[in-house]
Amino acid sequence: MAKRGMLFVISGPAGAGKSEIVKTLLRKHPDVHLSVSCTTRAPREGEINGVHYHFVTEERFDELIREDAFYEWAHVHQNRYGTLKEVVRKQLNEGNDLILEIDVQGCQQVLKLNPDAVGIFVCPPSRDNLEKRLRNRGTETEESIRVRLNNVAGEVATAYTYDYVIIHQDWSDVPNALEIAADEVYAIISAKRCELENRRAFLDQLSAQLRA
């Protein structure tokens, strides 16, 4: 039987750089897979339906809730986001190590449902840097920025429940901060793959060969 994949949940405040870190990680390491979430928010410039998110209407999102189709879902910054059970199960059953890039609320749900999931929290180096990143996006209204910044303290407070914390440094101070953060995430994935429980089947097989 093929080994079941591992689930890694990456979360943190809006503007911390989660999406860029994940994109960099996937570009460098095609052995890691990403679960594409559903959202009711409008696509940002350059985002592709089915690649970055499954963009759905509020009505369709309600239907998916009634169908119990979500692994987790939550209201985040005036929109809704959700992870489909079918997507997660298929990838893990095929032996793929899977990343969920989701909000803090969703991550808490996943960690309760799946104690084996690995929680990785992405932090900005400071509040000022976070605000700068949000403004540099050029996609947020003043109201949206205000809402997101007001939510940050509560989101960072949940970091204590995660397994790992990544500090995504200010690019002005650390030009290769994105690469460093992506490499740190992959180091976590590599370390989990090398844990005894994930090498036990190999050790059993090797031991049997050596005793033959």
Side-chain angles (χ1 to χ4, degrees), residues 37-39 41-44 47-50 52-57:
S37 300
C38 289
T39 182
R41 78 159 169 77
R44 296 187 182 124
E47 288 184 330
I48 301 169
N49 187 41
H52 299 95
Y53 286 97
H54 297 293
F55 296 100
V56 300
T57 63

Side-chain angles (χ1 to χ4, degrees), residues 60-186:
R60 178 57 183 150
F61 203 97
D62 287 335
E63 288 176 1
L64 290 168
I65 293 174
R66 289 194 295 270
E67 293 166 7
D68 195 27
F70 287 123
Y71 194 63
E72 58 78 28
W73 73 271
H75 281 95
V76 186
H77 309 307
Q78 303 168 321
N79 294 295
R80 289 189 289 178
Y81 295 78
T83 302
L84 293 169
K85 290 179 181 178
E86 180 182 355
V87 172
V88 174
R89 289 171 180 165
K90 182 175 185 295
Q91 291 279 359
L92 295 180
N93 288 338
E94 289 177 355
N96 296 321
D97 291 333
L98 185 65
I99 286 178
L100 301 185
E101 182 210 326
I102 57 180
D103 66 279
V104 169
Q105 294 177 59
C107 182
Q108 298 304 304
Q109 294 178 46
V110 171
L111 295 178
K112 286 179 182 178
L113 287 170
N114 187 344
D116 293 330
V118 179
I120 303 172
F121 192 90
V122 177
C123 269
S126 67
R127 185 191 186 281
D128 288 346
N129 177 262
L130 182 66
E131 182 172 355
K132 180 174 73 172
R133 286 176 176 169
L134 288 171
R135 292 190 182 283
N136 286 346
R137 278 179 174 181
T139 60
E140 311 293 341
T141 64
E142 282 298 318
E143 173 65 13
S144 175
I145 291 172
R146 185 188 65 77
V147 168
R148 290 169 187 269
L149 289 174
N150 285 343
N151 289 339
V152 171
E155 291 173 329
V156 170
T158 70
Y160 295 94
T161 66
Y162 288 66
D163 301 292
Y164 299 91
V165 174
I166 302 291
I167 303 171
H168 187 194
Q169 299 291 349
D170 190 325
W171 293 7
S172 300
D173 299 328
V174 185
N176 62 335
L178 181 58
E179 295 283 335
I180 291 171
D183 288 346
E184 287 179 340
V185 174
Y186 193 70

